[in-house]
Amino acid sequence: MLPALRPLLAAFSIAISVFAPMMAAAKDNGGVIVFGGTGRLGVDIVRLLVDAGEDVTVFSRTGDAGKHFKDMKVRIAVGDLLDDASIGKAFDARSYRVAIDAAAQRTEIRLPDFYEKVTRSIVRHAKRTGVKHFISHGSIGAGDNHKMVPALASYPQTAALIDKGKAEALIIAGGVPYTIIRNGVLPNTEPLPPATHKAGLTVDYTTFSAITRADLAILTLDCIDNPARLNRIYHAIDATLPIPTE
Ligand SMILES: NC(=O)c1ccc[n+]([C@@H]2O[C@H](COP(=O)([O-])OP(=O)(O)OC[C@H]3O[C@@H](n4cnc5c(N)ncnc54)[C@H](OP(=O)(O)O)[C@@H]3O)[C@@H](O)[C@H]2O)c1
């Protein structure tokens, strides 16, 4: 070994010996349940969780959700987000330290209170069963935030953004430590774009940008077991991506 490398490797091995027990302790303390885990953002989050050694459950209304996770050790909890009882059953089946919501309403027939209804159920059952952290993916422009974002000034607030504002209020009042990650525009070009690794979370609530789902997944993992991210609302921003004009 080159003598110059020895101090570097020594420091590295100290870092591993300090962090490894902390990570193991965290992961022994309950698993992670992901709502919307079969979606485009959700799949990326699940993959990173599995890579990080987490015990992962994906809540899905389709019994064949496992097809998304063929090479991964993932448990499926079958249920419908619009069915409170099935959400309760999923929370009762195991002990979770973290719940993540990456679900989106993408059906033709849209319920005006989808996010409010779904969030009410998740937060209620998470609180009841002692979940330590709820991470929710919302939208920039939700609720009162719409008035704060110059980039949205010429667009009337949609029903979905009003709905997401109500969902945020339920999360804040719900009693489960939370992180709300508001997203702007998620590029849908296929194949989905890779991470830029230039994205970040900010508490500047006037900001708006595009952001890849791959970067959002990385930012989601960064919130887990991170006390600095608890009870915070963030905008997920990537200044390197152009803001779509339509
Ligand atoms: N797309 C955007 O531009 C945009 C903008 C701002 C914020 N966001 C937020 O970013 C997040 C991810 O969006 P995305 O576009 O990646 O999502 P997506 O690909 O549309 O995936 C939606 C997920 O929600 C699940 N889901 C929907 N209704 C359900 C129900 N009744 N019961 C159980 N699961 C249900 C879907 O399950 P199935 O597989 O069963 O359909 C799927 O896993 C969402 O929180 C969204 O609100 C998106």
Side-chain angles (χ1 to χ4, degrees):
M1 183 196 309
L2 287 172
L5 286 181
R6 280 199 197 108
L8 193 64
L9 287 177
F12 186 58
S13 63
I14 289 168
I16 288 180
S17 65
V18 169
F19 288 118
M22 283 169 58
M23 290 176 69
K27 285 166 193 171
D28 290 346
N29 186 21
V32 182
I33 184 165
V34 184
F35 297 90
T38 56
R40 291 163 291 179
L41 169 60
V43 166
D44 279 354
I45 292 174
V46 170
R47 186 170 294 119
L48 291 185
L49 288 168
V50 171
D51 287 350
E54 296 283 4
D55 181 348
V56 184
T57 298
V58 172
F59 180 93
S60 173
R61 56 187 156 178
T62 59
D64 67 344
K67 68 176 184 232
H68 295 278
F69 313 107
K70 275 190 184 124
D71 53 339
M72 292 182 249
K73 200 173 159 217
V74 167
R75 194 175 291 107
I76 307 296
V78 178
D80 192 314
L81 279 166
L82 295 171
D83 174 20
D84 176 80
S86 66
I87 295 176
K89 197 172 156 200
F91 276 107
D92 284 330
R94 310 195 70 78
S95 168
Y96 301 109
R97 88 177 189 289
V98 181
I100 298 173
D101 182 12
Q105 184 173 214
R106 58 179 179 190
T107 46
E108 289 305 315
I109 304 163
R110 289 179 179 261
L111 294 178
D113 60 349
F114 175 86
Y115 294 102
E116 184 184 9
K117 184 172 166 48
V118 163
T119 303
R120 187 187 304 282
S121 290
I122 295 176
V123 170
R124 184 166 79 81
H125 292 294
K127 170 80 176 158
R128 180 177 64 73
T129 57
V131 170
K132 304 285 185 293
H133 189 187
F134 176 41
I135 302 173
S136 175
H137 280 277
S139 290
I140 294 177
D144 290 345
N145 177 246
H146 190 264
K147 295 193 279 288
M148 300 171 71
V149 182
L152 298 178
S154 50
Y155 299 95
Q157 193 176 36
T158 60
L161 289 177
I162 295 168
D163 186 16
K164 286 186 178 195
K166 292 177 182 166
E168 284 190 357
L170 288 171
I171 294 168
I172 293 164
V176 179
Y178 64 87
T179 309
I180 295 169
I181 301 176
R182 290 179 182 152
N183 313 322
V185 177
L186 310 188
N188 289 325
T189 47
E190 292 288 348
L192 292 174
T196 67
H197 300 284
K198 304 286 185 195
L201 298 178
T202 175
V203 292
D204 179 348
Y205 301 140
T206 66
T207 53
F208 181 85
S209 86
I211 185 165
T212 71
R213 290 174 175 83
D215 285 297
L216 272 177
I218 294 168
L219 295 174
T220 305
L221 271 278
D222 178 54
C223 294
I224 295 178
D225 301 324
N226 185 347
R229 298 294 196 203
L230 290 183
N231 300 327
R232 295 271 190 280
I233 300 176
Y234 292 103
H235 285 199
I237 296 297
D238 188 336
T240 70
L241 293 180
I243 299 179
T245 48
E246 33 183 273

